Amino acid sequence: MSTEKPMNLLFCTPGEDPTPWLQAFRDALPGAMMRAWQAGDTAPADYAAVWRPPAEVLRGRSGLKAVFNLGAGVDPILDMLSREPDTLPESVPLIRLEDAGMAAQMIEYVTYAALRYMRRFDTYERQREAHQWTVLEAARPADFPIAVMGLGKLGAAVSSTLAKAGWPVRGWSRTAKAIEGVQTFAGDAALAPFLAGAKMLVNLLPSTPETRGLLGKAVFEPLAEGAFLVNIARGAHVVDIDLLDAIRRGKIAAAMLDVFAQEPLPADHPFWQEPKITITPHISAMTLRTEAVAQIVGKIRALERGEKVSGVVDRIRGY
Ligand code: NAP
Ligand code: GLV
């Protein structure tokens, strides 16, 4: 008879039914003890899989070997850790989702935006509402350069797909990258040439102290007149008042926004009143249970074998 203790996994995504998640983990890790966190649960756990957990889920939890963030962005959990710094020792790695089915969703969202704006379907929709028959100028991908901020798991996949589809694509990251068919730029000094004359700006940066508030007047001005904005990263990147001003001046012709500083977007937020802003409720890339569980379980198995895994968050850098 084996005397080995079963592995213990703790799960916490407040506001979501944990049942299908627990089942998916049990199916993928037979023999492991899987439980959903409930207030007062302080029992040891080997691993935790969480999204926006309260501090009590992690604080003082003995036995923790790693915490898995059930999303690509770690700003919510890092914000919590900055308010409650003793919650998770540095020795316990925080590991985020890497793609796990999100890149394909981002590609769909951005391809839709690129076609919608390049072919002016947004304008034709407004004309349809006004019973107006006006033919706009023809558009070619070659005249519609797209600038993608962030060349990580999601930004690299989006850039490369857009480039293969025929758009001139530039990408911007912190450190230098090479992506076939994409003109790449790195670092703050390269931001202005990266932006210059772009017809569509796509944001796929993480929310960090360096990137919050970046999408304001200074970033909009170098773009082409009547450029388009697609923000699918975080609302904290955008200076809302600068975006509204840029839209009213025609500097930005229209925007597709999936993320907001406050979510749900408050009913009295001026974005709701601006017809040139398309609003989606943080759905551009959703966490897919099957893919997420498979990735996390693969990493748990690797950690148990003593191997290194990718996706470990640098808590100082913020992503
Ligand atoms: P990632 O792999 O960590 O990539 C981040 C990219 O941003 C990297 O290329 C990084 O540069 C670059 N970067 C970071 N700080 C920078 C700076 N100061 N200046 C220039 N570039 C900088 O992240 P990911 O998996 O692609 O995800 C990106 C973000 O998408 C997430 O953090 C999350 O906020 C958002 N997201 C949103 C949704 C949604 O549904 N709306 C879903 C998933 C993710 P280096 O390559 O040089 O490190
Ligand atoms: C969603 O917003 C994520 O970061 O995965």
Side-chain angles (χ1 to χ4, degrees):
M1 205 173 92
S2 166
T3 52
E4 224 175 89
K5 277 201 320 196
M7 185 192 295
N8 263 285
L9 273 87
L10 187 61
F11 178 84
C12 179
T13 61
E16 189 177 349
D17 177 11
T19 317
W21 281 95
L22 296 180
Q23 193 55 52
F25 274 111
R26 284 188 191 113
D27 291 346
L29 267 180
M33 305 284 286
M34 191 73 213
R35 69 184 193 273
W37 181 81
Q38 292 181 334
D41 175 346
T42 57
D46 297 295
Y47 297 99
V50 298
W51 180 247
R52 295 180 178 275
E56 307 84 78
V57 176
L58 305 177
R59 191 189 294 125
R61 179 85 41 197
S62 62
L64 262 188
K65 298 179 200 170
V67 172
F68 291 94
N69 181 64
L70 286 163
V74 286
D75 44 311
I77 193 164
L78 290 186
D79 286 351
M80 183 272 278
L81 293 177
S82 72
R83 290 191 304 274
E84 314 249 3
D86 300 330
T87 303
L88 189 66
E90 288 288 341
S91 55
V92 180
L94 172 62
I95 302 169
R96 71 187 189 91
L97 285 183
E98 298 176 283
D99 180 355
M102 285 189 263
Q105 297 174 72
M106 288 302 194
I107 288 167
E108 289 159 3
Y109 193 103
V110 178
T111 304
Y112 169 78
L115 289 171
R116 173 176 162 82
Y117 290 141
M118 185 190 77
R119 295 296 309 268
R120 300 316 316 256
F121 291 123
D122 59 327
T123 307
Y124 288 121
E125 277 164 23
R126 284 198 291 277
Q127 289 188 184
R128 163 72 184 86
E129 278 160 26
H131 299 199
Q132 183 188 341
W133 182 286
T134 305
V135 176
L136 304 173
E137 233 179 281
R140 289 180 305 150
D143 301 328
F144 198 82
I146 301 177
V148 179
M149 303 179 99
L151 293 176
K153 293 290 171 192
L154 305 180
V158 165
S159 313
S160 151
T161 305
L162 293 173
K164 283 188 193 128
W167 279 286
V169 181
R170 313 139 183 205
W172 184 64
S173 52
R174 203 175 46 82
T175 56
K177 297 275 172 303
I179 301 172
E180 202 181 330
V182 177
Q183 188 186 4
T184 54
F185 298 76
D188 292 346
L191 182 58
F194 158 76
L195 296 166
K199 280 297 280 182
M200 188 168 101
L201 181 64
V202 178
N203 178 32
L204 270 167
L205 290 168
S207 174
T208 71
E210 285 177 12
T211 64
R212 283 192 269 277
L214 187 60
L215 297 192
K217 191 168 192 293
V219 157
F220 301 146
E221 284 316 303
L223 300 173
E225 275 310 297
F228 301 91
L229 173 68
V230 180
N231 186 22
I232 43 183
R234 286 295 184 260
H237 289 128
V238 174
V239 182
D240 292 0
I241 192 160
D242 287 6
L243 175 57
L244 284 166
D245 174 62
I247 287 179
R248 285 166 192 158
R249 289 186 290 116
K251 178 74 216 181
I252 301 276
M256 271 190 85
L257 307 180
D258 183 53
V259 284
F260 304 90
Q262 192 185 337
E263 295 180 2
L265 184 65
D268 60 353
H269 196 288
F271 284 169
W272 289 114
Q273 303 304 325
E274 178 45 72
K276 292 178 181 160
I277 295 183
T278 299
I279 292 171
T280 53
H282 201 141
I283 49 75
S284 50
M286 291 152 88
T287 295
L288 302 177
R289 189 165 47 245
T290 306
E291 289 82 345
V293 168
Q295 185 173 106
I296 291 169
V297 167
K299 289 187 182 183
I300 288 176
R301 291 193 199 285
L303 290 169
E304 290 292 307
R305 291 192 298 267
E307 295 167 12
K308 279 196 156 65
V309 297
S310 60
V312 175
V313 173
D314 179 331
R315 295 198 213 170
I316 304 292
R317 212 176 51 180
Y319 70 101

